[in-house]
Amino acid sequence: MTQTEPASASASASASAPDSGRPAPKHTPRTPRVHRAWFVAAVSFVTIIGAAAFSSLPGLLIEPLHEDFRWSRGTIGFAVSVNLALYGLTAPFAAALMDRFGIRKVVACALTVIAGGSVATVWMTAPWQLVLFWGVLVGLGSGSMALAFAATVTNRWFTARRGLVTGILTAAGASGQLIFLPLLSWLVEHHGWRPAAVTVSLTALAVVPFVWLLLRDHPADVGVAPYGGTYAEKPAPVPGAARRAVTVLFRAARTGPFWLLAGTFAICGASTNGLVRTHFVPAAHDHGMPVTAAAGLLAVIGVFDVIGTIASGWFTDRFEARRLLAVYYALRGVSLLFLPMLLAPSVHPPMVFFIIFYGLDWVATVPPTIALCREHYGEDSAIVFGWVLASHQVGAAVVAFLGGMARDTFGSYDVVWYASGALCAMAALMAMVIRRRPAVPTPAPASA
């Protein structure tokens, strides 16, 4: 018997006994053969795949913009860092806006802003325009499409299988990277960076109809219970989205787990989006590897990221989240320490091993991090995770900028790889320090 059957049975009993004096329920939850939550997860998956187009492009732009405009890598890295920082800082406000206006409206508006910012770069002539169009507009739009979106969908539509669904939605970004990186790198190499920017814009616009027509804000909108849960009426819109986001931040900031989660996730962002996604292609190109080959390796990381992230979601449903985080960060740090010795003009077996090993770990940290936010912060967990994600993107932004500066100063990226490996070791220790939330004691039954 499913968890929604008792409610259905109650409704049937009321219908068969109209004189019982009990009012009929306002809504009768239905029990579909395939739960609607899985369709919502599928639409969210497709949406995040489309959003991955604009996250795949920055690492491919550094060399073409440097050659076209003679801008320094540090200048280009600064625009990317603004994008990454706003991606994170927007997330908690976007989660609160989803509570106020609904998921569909926020995500559709975000995709439209991304499309406008990306296509506007085609006509830019100065660095400040790159910062405005790609850094600010695309950063704000992508921040509203951040992992807080996945956390909100999971919290609303799923009670069971949350870890698995979180892993699947997180893996959507890697799937999009697999799809778009080869295409965008081919466009950049054969037709220049402008057609690639237009492709990103068109992709963002193409996703909007899927969001508007197929996504639903809450299970009560279609008269069902969350998957694995019981039926509940849709809550009223929460006013004061910005105030709520800030209030939740101040409340969470008074707890130790928040700072440990924010610190570990900042290192996560520094060692993934800020470093590998932004600087791997130009670093490999420095060693003579063609841009298309380096972008292909990043796409392969996306293949194994899908496997690793879904597996991490499965593990998170079964094992202690903080121990999983410690293992993930430790393994990532070891792999980054070896990377400078593996870069070469061609792809060789040790590099392939690194790509597989690193790919399995790329965003495997997300499901246990969301699980720990949910464990410690309950109904505010999506917004708290938004602030934790902000630290992730601030870490990514700092390394995106410092990585370009290090390349301009030292002539190579080696020092950045080694520093990131050491930071991952620190993150592993921080994860183990996160305390477990004590179980709430069950009150004893009152004596007769």
Side-chain angles (χ1 to χ4, degrees), residues 313-331:
W314 188 86
F315 290 145
T316 302
D317 285 332
R318 289 160 176 80
F319 300 104
E320 190 177 346
R322 66 190 185 100
R323 296 184 184 275
L324 290 175
L325 280 182
V327 171
Y328 296 156
Y329 284 121
L331 293 177

Side-chain angles (χ1 to χ4, degrees), residues 286 406-413:
D286 283 347
R407 172 60 178 80
D408 289 336
T409 303
F410 302 110
S412 78
Y413 287 99

Side-chain angles (χ1 to χ4, degrees), residues 136-187:
V136 176
L137 293 181
V138 176
L140 289 173
S142 59
S144 301
M145 288 282 306
L147 291 172
F149 164 54
T152 301
V153 169
T154 304
N155 288 349
R156 290 187 184 183
W157 282 89
F158 291 86
T159 300
R161 301 283 189 259
R162 279 177 168 173
L164 177 62
V165 175
T166 300
I168 292 172
L169 294 183
T170 305
S175 302
Q177 177 176 297
L178 170 65
I179 294 169
F180 288 107
L181 260 175
L183 170 63
L184 294 176
S185 64
W186 181 84
L187 285 173

